[in-house]
Amino acid sequence: MTKTALVTGANKGIGYEIAKKLLEEGYRVLVGARDQERGDNAVAALRAFGDAHLLLLDVADLNSINNAVGEITRNFAELSLLVNNAGIPGDMHKVGWEFTVEELQSTYEVNFIGPFALSKGLLPTLIANKGIIINISIPIEPLPYFNAFSYTTSKAPLNVMTKSWGMSFEKENIPVEIFAVMPGAVSTDLNGHMTGDFVKTTVQAAELIVDFVLDGENHNGQVINYDGTLSVY
C-alpha cells in the first residue's frame, strides 16, 4: 500500500520542500494549501517528483479543517503521516505589550488551535495506520537574539501538546508517534529570506525534518532541536 502524508502549508517554503522530499521517498503527498491557484501551481511542480494531490486547507478555519478531515477519511484512509508545518510568526520585532489581543489570537489560531484540531480530527485514521504526527516548531525560551513574543507564545502550546500527547499515547498504548522538530533559523518569506552562516535553506530544513521520519527511531513525545538534542522544558 502506498504511504500517504499530509503536509500543511506545502505550497511554498519548508512545507513545499518537505512535500518534495517525501515524494522522492515514495510517499503520496496531500499538499495542504489555503489558496487554490497557489496550491495548483505547487502540485503541478511537485508532480515531477511523485504522486501529489491538492488538499484545500486553511488551518485558521475550523470549517476548512473539518472539510479536509472528511475528504481524507473518504478518499485517503491510508494516511499515516501528518506534518503540521503551516504557521505564521506575527510581528517578530514588537515588544510583548504592544500586541493587540486580536494579533495574538490570529497567531494562536494558526500555530496551535489549527494543528490541534487537525491532529484530533485525523487521529482515528492515524491510529488505524500506526501513523506519525510531526509538529514543526521553534524554541520557546526568550533569548536576547530571538524574542519574538507572538511567535513563541503561540508555539509554546504546540510543544506542550507534543509532549502531553506523546505521554498519553504511551500510557494508553495508542500506536501513534508524535514529535516536534525545531529546524533552527531557515531562510523563508516569514523572515524576509534572512541570510547568514547559521541560516539553513528550506531544502536543508526539509531534509533534517524528513530524516527523523525515516531513521527508524521512536521519537514519541520529543521536541527535537536542529542538532538532534532534545528540549528540556
Side-chain angles (χ1 to χ4, degrees):
M1 181 181 293
T2 302
K3 298 175 292 184
T4 300
L6 166 60
V7 183
T8 67
N11 62 286
K12 63 178 182 177
I14 298 173
Y16 178 90
E17 295 298 338
I18 292 172
K20 178 181 170 183
K21 178 71 173 173
L22 289 170
L23 288 166
E24 291 173 338
E25 294 294 337
Y27 277 81
R28 173 187 292 124
V29 176
L30 308 182
V31 177
R34 61 181 178 175
D35 181 86
Q36 179 83 47
E37 183 177 0
R38 289 196 293 267
D40 284 338
N41 290 339
V43 167
L46 286 168
R47 281 185 175 160
F49 306 97
D51 189 8
H53 300 260
L54 176 63
L55 183 72
L56 285 176
L57 173 59
D58 182 351
V59 296
D61 183 337
L62 292 179
N63 288 330
S64 176
I65 290 171
N66 290 335
N67 289 338
V69 169
E71 183 173 344
I72 290 170
T73 302
R74 290 188 301 272
N75 300 318
F76 300 97
E78 75 285 358
L79 183 92
S80 62
L81 176 60
L82 167 61
V83 183
N84 286 314
N85 165 76
I88 58 174
D91 189 324
M92 291 198 287
H93 303 290
K94 234 187 233 189
V95 296
W97 57 86
E98 291 181 348
F99 284 91
T100 65
V101 170
E102 291 77 15
E103 287 172 329
L104 295 180
Q105 285 174 328
S106 68
T107 54
Y108 195 86
E109 287 171 354
V110 173
N111 293 346
F112 174 62
I113 295 297
F116 168 83
L118 184 61
S119 300
K120 178 181 172 68
L122 291 175
L123 191 55
T125 299
L126 292 166
I127 290 173
N129 298 313
K130 298 181 179 178
I132 296 173
I133 301 169
I134 304 177
N135 295 321
I136 309 306
S137 194
I138 63 170
I140 60 172
E141 181 70 26
L143 298 167
Y145 54 84
F146 184 72
N147 187 16
F149 183 75
S150 67
Y151 201 14
T152 54
T153 54
S154 62
K155 285 288 191 177
L158 190 66
N159 290 356
V160 172
M161 170 184 158
T162 300
K163 294 193 174 189
S164 176
W165 281 32
M167 184 181 297
S168 296
F169 288 163
E170 184 173 349
K171 181 179 179 181
E172 303 295 330
N173 293 314
I174 292 173
V176 175
E177 186 179 333
I178 183 171
F179 60 92
V181 180
M182 303 185 292
V186 183
S187 180
T188 70
D189 59 2
L190 295 184
N191 52 40
H193 297 282
M194 64 187 294
T195 59
D197 293 340
F198 62 97
V199 180
K200 296 179 186 65
T201 66
T202 52
V203 172
Q204 290 171 324
E207 289 177 349
L208 172 72
I209 292 160
V210 174
D211 280 350
F212 286 113
V213 178
L214 304 175
D215 67 8
E217 301 291 330
N218 184 351
H219 297 292
N220 186 46
Q222 296 179 352
V223 178
I224 309 170
N225 292 305
Y226 68 92
D227 59 1
T229 60
L230 303 183
S231 70
V232 295
Y233 47 79

